[in-house]
């Protein structure tokens, strides 16, 4: 009997793997890429870390290879560890096509096993756990990466893992400070917005526990302090990086979406609740049952329903997003797209519906019907997106602020299949100025400023990376003023023709591009961003602690082989 149960679990795990293969088949068969709004931004991020790995020249803070070799800071503030993991995948991939297929497959596997582990931890039968794990793969929370390269999907992939301690806490009333601290730290290392979701869900749990006990539990407070300490140790590289960079710089934050009221599940983004179409039935069922039968729900189900309802509410136009952003509410400006709140709602809904399914559905053909509907719709959607590569006159859905350096679309498409990964990034460039320094306030569009100062003039200069320095060379005329396509931060060390430039002698544009007086003939500027003292030691400690975490909890967090049958 034990062997049979173990074989069943292995079968379900293999089924998830097979589902991941099926979902990437349209792209493999068509040999296409999906180049959408965020593709070039992330390709540049990962190309930069890939070249660091390939050349053994680690530059944790600045980009010497990606982003026009401008020396700007991106990865240090945007999931640095996972950026290096993707960079490793880029190194192993012969071209961008192979990378995208591999990344999509790995995302499906990670999301599927993550959800399967969460459902098993909630005492859901293996068959039902597998079913809802497959459905999770077909939701837009995961498809967001496939369709638009929205990095929120990588947060959605690890979100179920982060909620395992939460569900154990709600079911047993036992708070494990180490697992909770690890879970929130994992979210921070992958995606900060996902970390906010995780923190809010745990806050709901804490309020629910205290409400039920009707008193302050000081032992719980002490455990929460312990979890915060664990969290801080495992994310020390993130907070130290922010402290070091923001200490001397005013950075441009990601753009403020003035039309964010359109990016809700009740306006232009209804596809979030219609992918797959059966999802909308689950939304209405969970809301209806939660409202009508709230008092009869068990405590753990209430603590699924309440945060679910909260996130669904935030993803709609019931919240006056237009009013908030027009009146410069900071949190509203930070959010950009309210539909992101539907990601944690989707994750919580999978757990709630899986519990109800296990209780009410006995015939296995319903499992098959749901899988066929969800996977079938997902395959059609993926096929349509990949056909655009071959059939559309505009196969690159990169939207505004994109510069094409070749009018031959076929040449650009071939570059994404080339072994020279930089070729595609040179032919198709997008001016995304996130995290550039702002030295003066003006009304200029920073996307256009970045395009004009970094992208358009970049081909006129020769850039070479030597050790910890980026060297820029160009032919100049005596006494002429020249603006250079580099980004200078507070800690950036600058030399022009061998002489240091600093203080008042260093003239910069609004976004940090240096303006110099050139000499006749060959000119050279070198920039370097030395790693702050003590930072590498902190980073090594953080990496070592994560290795310990993986060694101790990895097997149980990634996949629970022992799923519970309903008694």
């Amino acid at each position: 009997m034990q062997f049979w149960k173990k074989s069943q679990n292995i079968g379900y795990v293999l089924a998830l793997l097979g589902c991941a293969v099926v979902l990437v088949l349209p792209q493999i068969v068509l040999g296409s890429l999906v180049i959408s709004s965020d593709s070039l931004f992330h390709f540049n991020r990962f190309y930069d870390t890939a070249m660091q790995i390939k050349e053994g020249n680690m530059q944790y803070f600045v980009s010497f290879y990606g982003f026009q070799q401008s020396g700007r800071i991106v990865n240090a503030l945007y999931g640095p560890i996972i950026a290096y993991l993707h960079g490793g995948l880029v190194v192993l991939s012969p071209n961008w096509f192979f990378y995208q297929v591999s990344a999509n497959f790995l995302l499906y596997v990670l999301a599927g096993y993550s959800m399967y582990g969460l459902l098993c931890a909630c005492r859901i039968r293996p068959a039902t756990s597998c079913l809802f794990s497959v459905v999770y793969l077909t939701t837009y929370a995961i498809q967001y990466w496939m369709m638009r390269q929205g990095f929120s999907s990588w947060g959605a992939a690890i979100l179920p893992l982060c909620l395992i301690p939460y569900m154990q806490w709600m079911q047993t009333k036992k708070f494990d400070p180490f697992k909770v601290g690890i879970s929130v730290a994992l979210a921070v290392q992958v995606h900060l917005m996902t970390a906010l979701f995780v923190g809010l869900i745990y806050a709901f749990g804490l309020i629910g526990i205290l409400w039920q006990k009707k008193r302050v539990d000081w032992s719980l407070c002490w455990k929460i302090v312990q979890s915060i300490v664990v969290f801080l140790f495992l994310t020390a590289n993130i907070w130290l990086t922010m402290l070091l960079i923001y200490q001397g710089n005013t950075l441009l934050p990601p753009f403020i979406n003035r039309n964010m009221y359109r990016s809700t599940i009740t306006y232009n983004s209804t596809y979030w609740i219609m992918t797959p179409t059966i999802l909308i039935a689950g939304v209405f069922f969970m809301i209806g049952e939660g409202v009508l039968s709230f008092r009869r729900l068990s405590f753990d189900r209430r603590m699924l329903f309440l945060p679910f309802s909260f996130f669904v509410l935030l993803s709609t136009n019931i919240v006056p997003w237009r009013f908030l952003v027009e009146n410069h509410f900071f949190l509203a400006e930070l959010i950009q797209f309210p539909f992101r709140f539907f990601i944690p709602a989707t994750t919580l809904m999978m757990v709630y519906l899986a519990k109800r399914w296990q209780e009410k559905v006995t015939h296995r053909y319903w499992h098959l019907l749901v899988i066929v509907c969800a996977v079938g719709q997902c395959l059609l959607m993926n096929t349509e997106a990949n056909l655009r590569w071959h059939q559309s006159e505009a196969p690159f859905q990169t939207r505004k602020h994109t510069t094409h350096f070749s009018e031959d679309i076929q040449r650009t498409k071939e570059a994404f299949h080339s072994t020279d990964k930089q070729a595609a990034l040179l032919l198709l460039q997008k001016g995304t100025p996130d995290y550039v320094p702002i030295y003066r306030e003006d009304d200029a569009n920073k996307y256009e400023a970045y395009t004009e100062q970094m992208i358009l003039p970049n081909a006129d200069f020769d850039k070479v990376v030597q050790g910890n320095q980026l060297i820029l060379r160009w032919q100049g005329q005596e006494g002429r003023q020249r603006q250079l396509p580099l980004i200078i931060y507070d800690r950036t060390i600058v030399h022009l023709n061998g002489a240091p430039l600093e203080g008042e002698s260093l003239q910069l544009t609004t976004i940090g591009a240096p303006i110099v007086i050139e000499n006749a003939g060959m000119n050279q500027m070198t920039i370097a961003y030395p790693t702050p003292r003590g930072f590498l030691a902190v980073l090594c400690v953080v990496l070592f602690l994560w290795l310990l975490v993986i060694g101790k909890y990895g097997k149980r967090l990634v996949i629970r082989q022992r799923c519970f049958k309903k008694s």
Side-chain angles (χ1 to χ4, degrees):
M1 181 62 72
Q2 289 298 323
F3 173 78
W4 171 248
K5 288 181 180 179
K6 186 175 181 180
S7 298
Q8 273 190 316
N9 288 329
I10 293 174
Y12 292 124
V13 169
L14 292 176
L16 288 173
L17 193 64
C19 183
V21 172
V22 168
L23 291 174
V24 296
L25 277 179
Q27 187 169 20
I28 295 173
V29 172
L30 293 170
S32 55
L33 288 90
V34 177
I35 304 299
S36 193
S37 51
D38 291 335
S39 301
L40 297 177
F41 177 75
H42 292 301
F43 279 14
N44 273 278
R45 287 180 61 210
F46 305 148
Y47 176 75
D48 188 77
T49 54
M51 291 303 295
Q52 292 181 41
I53 295 168
K54 184 178 180 180
E55 298 194 358
N57 183 14
M58 307 306 286
Q59 300 292 327
Y60 184 91
F61 285 89
V62 290
S63 297
F64 279 177
Y65 301 96
F67 296 105
Q68 295 76 44
Q69 294 188 275
S70 58
R72 62 184 282 197
I73 294 173
V74 178
N75 282 326
L77 295 169
Y78 199 124
I81 293 178
I82 197 169
Y84 279 99
L85 293 176
H86 275 272
L89 184 59
V90 172
V91 171
L92 295 174
S93 302
N95 51 47
W96 286 115
F97 166 74
F98 193 92
Y99 160 75
Q100 192 172 74
V101 171
S102 302
N104 291 352
F105 174 76
L106 290 175
L107 178 62
Y108 281 133
V109 172
L110 177 60
Y113 287 177
S114 176
M115 179 57 72
Y116 188 73
L118 172 60
L119 294 175
C120 287
C122 294
R123 296 178 172 84
I124 308 297
R125 286 192 299 263
T128 305
S129 296
C130 183
L131 167 65
F132 281 88
S133 298
V134 170
V135 172
Y136 189 57
L137 299 185
T138 66
T139 64
Y140 212 82
I142 304 302
Q143 294 303 313
Y144 189 33
W145 171 259
M146 318 303 167
M147 298 295 106
R148 299 187 181 181
Q149 284 73 60
F151 207 72
S152 299
S153 290
W154 288 91
I158 56 94
L159 183 55
L161 283 182
C162 298
L163 296 185
I164 289 176
Y166 173 79
M167 290 309 302
Q168 291 174 336
W169 183 24
M170 296 302 101
Q171 290 170 163
T172 65
K173 308 299 188 298
K174 294 179 181 177
F175 184 91
D176 189 323
F178 294 99
K179 289 183 180 179
V180 172
I182 291 167
S183 298
V184 183
L186 175 62
V188 168
Q189 292 288 4
V190 173
H191 191 246
L192 284 175
M193 190 71 173
T194 301
L196 172 63
F197 299 153
V198 173
L200 288 172
I201 292 170
Y202 276 93
F204 267 97
L206 177 61
I207 294 170
I209 291 289
L210 294 178
W211 182 272
Q212 192 179 56
K213 290 186 176 182
K214 305 294 184 184
R215 62 181 177 82
V216 176
D217 187 339
W218 293 109
S219 65
L220 176 60
C221 292
W222 170 239
K223 288 179 180 178
I224 291 174
V225 171
Q226 290 178 306
S227 68
I228 292 173
V229 172
V230 172
F231 163 77
L232 290 175
F233 270 103
L234 290 173
T235 56
N237 63 309
I238 302 291
W239 313 121
L240 182 56
T241 295
M242 289 185 175
L243 176 65
L244 291 169
I245 294 175
Y246 281 96
Q247 197 173 41
N249 299 284
T250 300
L251 302 187
L252 181 71
F255 86 101
I256 298 170
N257 184 7
R258 296 298 177 188
N259 296 316
M260 64 186 302
Y261 67 94
R262 297 177 181 175
S263 301
T264 63
I265 64 171
T266 52
Y267 200 100
N268 282 347
S269 301
T270 54
Y271 50 85
W272 278 85
I273 58 173
M274 298 295 289
T275 308
T277 305
I278 56 174
L279 192 68
I280 194 169
V283 172
F284 283 117
F285 172 81
M286 187 168 172
I287 292 175
E289 182 176 79
V291 171
L292 297 175
S293 308
F294 184 78
R295 291 183 178 275
R296 295 195 297 272
L297 294 179
S298 61
F299 177 75
D300 61 314
R301 295 192 194 192
R302 289 184 186 182
M303 301 319 297
L304 286 168
F305 173 73
L306 289 174
F308 163 82
S309 302
F310 174 71
F311 288 122
V312 169
L313 179 69
L314 290 178
S315 65
T316 69
N317 288 101
I318 295 174
V319 176
W321 292 115
R322 187 172 189 171
F323 170 82
L324 293 175
V325 77
E326 286 177 351
N327 287 275
H328 306 289
F329 279 75
F330 172 73
L331 288 178
E333 293 180 337
L334 191 67
I335 287 162
Q336 295 181 317
F337 305 105
F339 59 61
R340 289 174 174 169
F341 286 110
F342 198 69
I343 292 174
T346 302
T347 307
L348 295 165
M349 180 168 52
M350 291 298 107
V351 181
Y352 187 97
L353 294 179
K355 286 174 173 284
R356 296 296 285 138
W357 185 279
Q358 177 169 268
E359 294 168 350
K360 298 296 184 181
V361 179
T362 56
H363 296 292
R364 289 296 176 92
Y365 67 80
W366 285 108
H367 289 68
L368 182 61
L369 180 62
V370 169
I371 288 176
V372 169
C373 290
V375 174
Q377 181 180 342
C378 187
L379 284 174
L380 288 173
M381 186 172 67
N382 287 347
T383 301
E384 181 184 4
N386 283 280
L387 280 173
R388 193 180 300 127
W389 179 264
H390 299 286
Q391 298 177 349
S392 174
E393 294 181 359
F396 312 113
Q397 306 295 311
T398 52
R399 300 186 179 181
K400 297 188 295 182
H401 309 298
T402 302
T403 304
H404 296 256
F405 283 90
S406 173
E407 295 182 0
D408 186 347
I409 293 177
Q410 187 59 35
R411 179 191 172 197
T412 305
K413 290 199 292 187
E414 289 173 357
F416 284 95
H417 286 271
S418 170
T419 54
D420 179 7
K421 301 184 186 76
Q422 190 181 33
L425 303 183
L426 292 176
L427 289 175
L428 198 63
Q429 301 186 44
K430 186 171 182 177
T432 308
D434 298 5
Y435 311 124
V436 299
I438 300 299
Y439 286 97
R440 291 179 301 280
E441 290 294 337
D442 60 22
D443 296 328
N445 185 301
K446 299 303 184 291
Y447 282 80
E448 293 176 0
Y450 187 87
T451 299
E452 293 169 0
Q453 297 179 32
M454 295 296 128
I455 294 177
L456 296 179
N458 201 44
D460 299 333
F461 298 84
D462 179 41
K463 293 181 177 180
V464 179
V465 180
Q466 288 185 3
N468 66 344
Q469 292 186 330
L470 176 64
I471 302 173
L472 181 145
R473 299 188 180 99
W474 75 98
Q475 290 288 335
Q477 298 178 14
E478 184 68 33
R480 188 175 71 173
Q481 191 178 69
R482 192 72 171 257
Q483 182 179 289
L484 308 180
L486 296 170
I487 299 291
I488 308 300
Y489 292 85
D490 175 59
R491 293 176 181 269
T492 305
I493 297 175
V494 186
H495 286 81
L496 175 63
N497 297 321
L501 279 182
E502 56 187 7
E504 294 182 358
S505 64
L506 182 59
Q507 185 180 353
L508 301 171
T509 67
T510 302
I511 63 170
I515 301 172
V516 300
I517 303 299
E518 59 189 14
N519 296 332
M522 182 61 67
N523 289 261
Q524 175 175 295
M525 174 172 279
T526 63
I527 65 170
Y529 194 98
T531 302
R533 185 178 300 174
F535 178 80
L536 282 180
V538 172
L539 180 61
C540 289
V541 169
V542 170
L543 293 175
F544 176 72
L545 291 175
W546 276 109
L547 288 175
L548 291 180
V549 167
I550 293 170
K552 183 172 177 59
Y553 294 108
K555 212 176 241 188
R556 282 176 286 173
L557 284 176
V558 173
I559 181 66
R560 288 178 165 251
Q561 288 292 340
R562 181 169 58 90
C563 283
F564 297 91
K565 296 200 74 170
K566 187 181 177 185
S567 56

